[in-house]
Amino acid sequence: MTYPLLNRIDTPADLRRLSRHELKQLAVELREYLLQSVARTGGHLSSNLGTVELTIALHYVFNTPEDRLVWDVGHQTYPHKILTGRRDRMPSLRQLGGLSGFPRRDESEYDTFGTAHSSTSISAALGMALASQLRGESRKAVAIIGDGAMTAGMVFEAMNNGGVPHHGKQADLLVVLNDNDMSISPPVGALNRHLARLMSGRFYAAAREGAKQVLRNAPPLFELAKRLEEHAKGMIVPATIFEEFGFNYVGPIDGHDLDSLIPTLENMRDRGGPQFLHVVTKKGYGYKLAEADPIAYHGPGKFDPAVGLVKAPAAVPPKPTFTQVFGQWLCDMAAHDARLVGITPAMREGSGMVEFHQKYPGRYFDVGIAEQHAVTFAGGLACEGLKPVVAIYSTFLQRGYDQLVHDVALQNLPVVFALDRAGLVGADGATHAGAYDIAFVRCIPNMSMLTPADENECRQALSAAFAQQHPVCVRYPRGAGAGVAVDPSLEPMPWGKGEVRRHTQAAAGARVAILAFGTVLHAALVAGDKLDATVVNMRFVKPLDTELLLEVARTHDAIVTIEEGCRMGGAGSAVAEALLDAGVSVPVAIMGLPDQFVEHGDPVKLMSLCGLDAAGIEQTVRTRWPHMRASTEDMPASNVTPLRG
């Protein structure tokens, strides 16, 4: 397909020169270009197809980038990127050195605020609006937020602050609620039910007719009629809650109708003050397959748009992902122990809880995008004798850190945190990387942190965590592991114990031990063969197996620690602290993620760039200790040695 109009749009200023009729044609071209582009690269699709007209209307009405657009989460900003001078870079989307899948201030002046985590847009846009006032500047600030993100308390904190005058002046802030009735998982909670109820045309029509009937039977007094009409309206639309915050509510309007969107946005732009526009869109709009299954097309890989998503036939069954291992363990442990309850903050699919939800609906709790609430809610359940398991991405636990410390750890409550997406996450980049959990968990009293090396250890670690009477985190990465067969039993791994997986044959003065935490064990084993180094699968960051550590320190000349987490304050730091406390002096090299945000890209390439693959480990050892013994042809291969064996 050719794109005669789209090819003329290099900036939003070009878009503003188009006629209303041409804007509609532009929407057709933009949607088709978006579909073809994402099909070639992979990425977020359903949400972006749903925001085409809204994006065009916003850039048409507002003087961007002078006026500020802040996109909540930001995974729906591909149309925005295409219209703001980045069309030709879309083939590099979410690849190393290419376009980010989210807004980034260092990527474009049109990306006014970096987002990726949910529910931050109103706070940021309010800050921009008030900064404009303080500087004596005249510009608009617009926050575009989805209905799923409206379940987070931060939204209402921002609206509570934004709807009141500041130093006698109202903030020039517009909030656009993009109501597509589906975040990543189907939305939950009272507010979403209220919005969904509102969208029922029959309900709205019947309510209006009921109000008319009341008015016909009432005395024909204008004021009474007006009051009755306003009361009836307040009963069936969410205007009341937003207007109580001080916002002027307008809507709902069709988010795919430019003839409705543009004049409404123009009126609200000119009115000023805190404004709230309720827009209704459909995820996957314009591509029937995505409309029918928006969850499947939320973040697809490469596919043929003419055919849609197709499961490729596999010669051998695919290796289970760590997420699938967790999901199966959760169902099995729930069958074994009726006290188990599962909690997710709006990530049922991503965290592998679909089957658990189906089998144990009464023990499944999706709390919405509300990580703070999820953690404290789990604490409350634990107080009453239940055994909560919180399935949460590592990056999202950051949002509930105070609750982790104050509401769970301080009270020593037995909550299991299954930390998915620990370490690097590839195409989603720095905003979603689970780089900090080891460091921020291990410093909390009463908390434990487990780092299983493979799929079977993941299941054993979860069982070990569930058996404890204090809070425990089990971290595991995105995707599949080494392909280790999973024992279907619920046998836990030995608590607080690591294991030696390879013994060095080197002579004194050249004995190196590599201490691996998590799935980096497999790279460490390859490097161990090259270096003739001892390799230890540590398994536990806290409690650290200090007995094994001191034994290794006594019998080796140098120690290397490796983890897929930040170097500063991580597992390597725990090793160094333990050695220092024991008065043991041995050279230690700490390997982990550097003190910088790691960009998006292929995970294997990123691990190599961070020096955390086998070649990187070998290079670190040879550079740090060049006198250490080199590999030879007859070096013994990796072997599993019993603990203390």
Side-chain angles (χ1 to χ4, degrees):
M1 177 179 176
T2 59
Y3 308 98
L5 277 178
L6 183 60
N7 288 337
R8 290 163 44 191
I9 308 300
D10 294 320
T11 70
D14 299 324
L15 179 152
R16 295 179 200 118
R17 288 191 280 267
L18 299 181
S19 67
R20 192 74 62 85
H21 175 73
E22 288 175 314
L23 290 178
K24 295 177 183 178
Q25 178 58 33
L26 177 64
V28 173
E29 294 181 20
L30 177 55
R31 180 168 279 110
E32 181 62 23
Y33 182 88
L34 172 68
L35 174 61
Q36 297 298 329
S37 179
V38 174
R40 287 191 294 269
T41 63
H44 295 101
L45 184 60
S46 295
S47 56
N48 282 286
L49 290 172
T51 58
V52 167
E53 287 83 6
L54 178 58
T55 304
I56 290 173
L58 286 167
H59 280 294
Y60 183 81
V61 171
F62 290 93
N63 183 31
T64 56
E66 181 66 17
D67 290 334
R68 313 303 200 207
L69 302 184
V70 182
W71 300 86
D72 207 273
V73 181
H75 64 295
Q76 78 284 48
T77 54
Y78 298 179
H80 163 80
K81 289 176 182 275
I82 293 168
L83 295 175
T84 54
R86 289 169 278 181
R87 180 178 69 250
D88 294 340
R89 295 186 62 199
M90 285 298 289
S92 71
L93 183 71
R94 292 166 29 110
Q95 299 166 39
L96 186 63
L99 283 181
S100 170
F102 302 96
R104 285 183 54 155
R105 283 171 53 83
D106 60 0
E107 187 177 284
S108 170
E109 63 179 336
Y110 293 91
D111 293 359
T112 62
F113 195 82
T115 54
H117 286 196
S118 165
S119 314
T120 62
S121 60
I122 302 177
S123 296
L126 175 61
M128 293 174 180
L130 293 180
S132 175
Q133 280 186 7
L134 290 170
R135 293 165 61 107
E137 299 168 345
S138 178
R139 66 164 60 96
K140 305 294 182 180
V142 183
I144 305 98
I145 185 168
D147 57 293
M150 292 295 292
T151 60
M154 189 173 174
V155 167
F156 296 97
E157 294 173 19
M159 293 189 67
N160 185 53
N161 187 213
V164 298
H166 295 265
H167 307 295
K169 294 182 179 179
Q170 293 274 23
D172 243 353
L173 172 66
L174 169 61
V175 175
V176 178
L177 170 58
N178 175 31
D179 183 4
N180 51 43
D181 205 29
M182 193 206 82
S183 48
I184 297 177
S185 297
V188 296
L191 178 60
N192 273 291
R193 286 199 300 273
H194 190 57
L195 296 179
R197 184 182 179 199
L198 169 67
M199 292 308 99
S200 170
R202 263 174 281 194
F203 171 82
Y204 188 73
R208 286 191 61 179
E209 287 304 312
K212 288 179 182 177
Q213 188 62 42
V214 170
L215 292 173
R216 286 194 198 100
N217 297 332
L221 300 174
F222 176 75
E223 283 302 320
L224 177 59
K226 183 178 179 183
R227 276 191 220 122
L228 286 169
E229 185 177 17
E230 288 177 349
H231 181 68
K233 177 185 176 185
M235 290 282 287
I236 56 174
V237 303
T240 304
I241 185 171
F242 301 123
E243 289 179 349
E244 286 296 325
F245 279 115
F247 284 72
N248 175 53
Y249 173 91
V250 175
I253 65 171
D254 185 349
H256 300 298
D257 181 5
L258 287 167
D259 289 333
S260 177
L261 278 171
I262 290 174
T264 302
L265 285 170
E266 288 174 337
N267 289 339
M268 300 186 81
R269 175 198 63 194
D270 297 340
R271 180 166 178 172
Q275 304 288 321
F276 192 101
L277 174 61
H278 187 167
V279 171
V280 181
T281 61
K282 185 177 181 64
K283 280 202 172 184
Y285 187 78
Y287 182 51
K288 296 300 183 184
L289 295 174
E291 289 185 28
D293 193 353
I295 292 179
Y297 286 88
H298 168 72
K302 300 176 183 180
F303 69 100
D304 181 353
V307 177
L309 299 178
V310 178
K311 287 187 178 179
V316 294
K319 294 184 292 186
T321 65
F322 281 94
T323 302
Q324 290 169 333
V325 171
F326 164 74
Q328 186 60 58
W329 171 85
L330 191 67
C331 291
D332 294 346
M333 186 58 81
H336 175 75
D337 192 327
R339 297 174 300 164
L340 184 148
V341 289
I343 302 167
T344 176
M347 297 300 292
R348 181 186 64 175
E349 286 77 18
S351 292
M353 297 185 72
V354 173
E355 185 178 354
F356 177 79
H357 181 200
Q358 294 168 346
K359 287 186 174 181
Y360 303 99
R363 295 155 67 183
Y364 166 83
F365 299 94
D366 185 338
V367 301
I369 303 175
E371 292 85 359
Q372 293 176 315
H373 165 61
V375 175
T376 304
F377 173 60
L381 291 166
C383 283
E384 299 303 319
L386 297 180
K387 296 280 284 186
V389 177
V390 180
I392 187 169
Y393 289 10
S394 168
T395 187
F396 296 144
L397 184 59
Q398 295 164 189
R399 302 176 64 132
Y401 191 62
D402 178 67
Q403 290 69 28
L404 183 67
V405 175
H406 183 270
D407 299 335
V408 173
L410 184 63
Q411 303 183 90
N412 203 26
L413 297 173
V415 178
V416 174
F417 294 91
L419 303 188
D420 204 332
R421 271 62 166 182
L424 300 179
V425 291
D428 282 338
T431 57
H432 284 64
Y436 312 110
D437 54 78
I438 293 178
F440 74 63
V441 166
R442 81 172 191 89
C443 65
I444 305 173
N446 295 331
M447 293 288 305
S448 291
M449 168 63 82
L450 281 63
T451 58
D454 56 47
E455 302 91 326
N456 190 50
E457 282 201 350
C458 184
R459 184 176 173 96
Q460 293 176 342
L462 289 163
S463 292
F466 190 78
Q468 304 308 306
Q469 295 305 312
H470 65 273
V472 183
C473 290
V474 179
R475 78 185 308 257
Y476 47 89
R478 181 176 190 170
V484 174
V486 178
D487 181 352
S489 76
L490 293 171
E491 188 70 23
M493 65 169 52
W495 185 256
K497 298 298 180 183
E499 62 171 2
V500 178
R501 294 288 294 266
R502 184 190 192 283
H503 283 288
T504 180
Q505 303 300 313
R511 296 168 300 189
V512 178
I514 303 172
L515 277 52
F517 293 85
T519 54
V520 288
L521 170 69
H522 305 286
L525 286 169
V526 174
D529 286 345
K530 295 278 189 179
L531 295 163
D532 184 24
T534 292
V535 179
V536 182
N537 176 20
M538 292 300 290
R539 291 177 173 165
F540 289 78
V541 176
K542 186 181 180 184
L544 190 68
D545 189 347
T546 53
E547 181 184 352
L548 177 58
L549 171 61
L550 295 178
E551 180 183 330
V552 168
R554 181 180 58 82
T555 55
H556 291 77
D557 305 293
I559 289 175
V560 179
T561 68
I562 181 167
E563 61 197 288
E564 194 177 342
C566 62
R567 287 181 72 250
M568 299 176 70
S573 295
V575 168
E577 291 163 11
L579 292 172
L580 185 64
D581 289 345
V584 176
S585 178
V586 60
V588 178
I590 298 175
M591 300 185 67
L593 297 177
D595 184 24
Q596 64 188 63
F597 293 110
V598 179
E599 298 297 330
H600 53 273
D602 176 71
V604 174
K605 178 66 173 176
L606 293 176
M607 289 290 282
S608 176
L609 290 173
C610 292
L612 298 181
D613 59 354
I617 300 170
E618 182 182 358
Q619 182 180 4
T620 293
V621 173
R622 295 197 188 283
T623 301
R624 180 76 178 270
W625 301 290
H627 63 283
M628 294 297 181
R629 176 179 171 181
S631 61
T632 62
E633 290 278 333
D634 59 350
M635 208 61 67
S638 302
N639 56 85
V640 177
T641 304
L643 183 64
R644 314 284 193 273

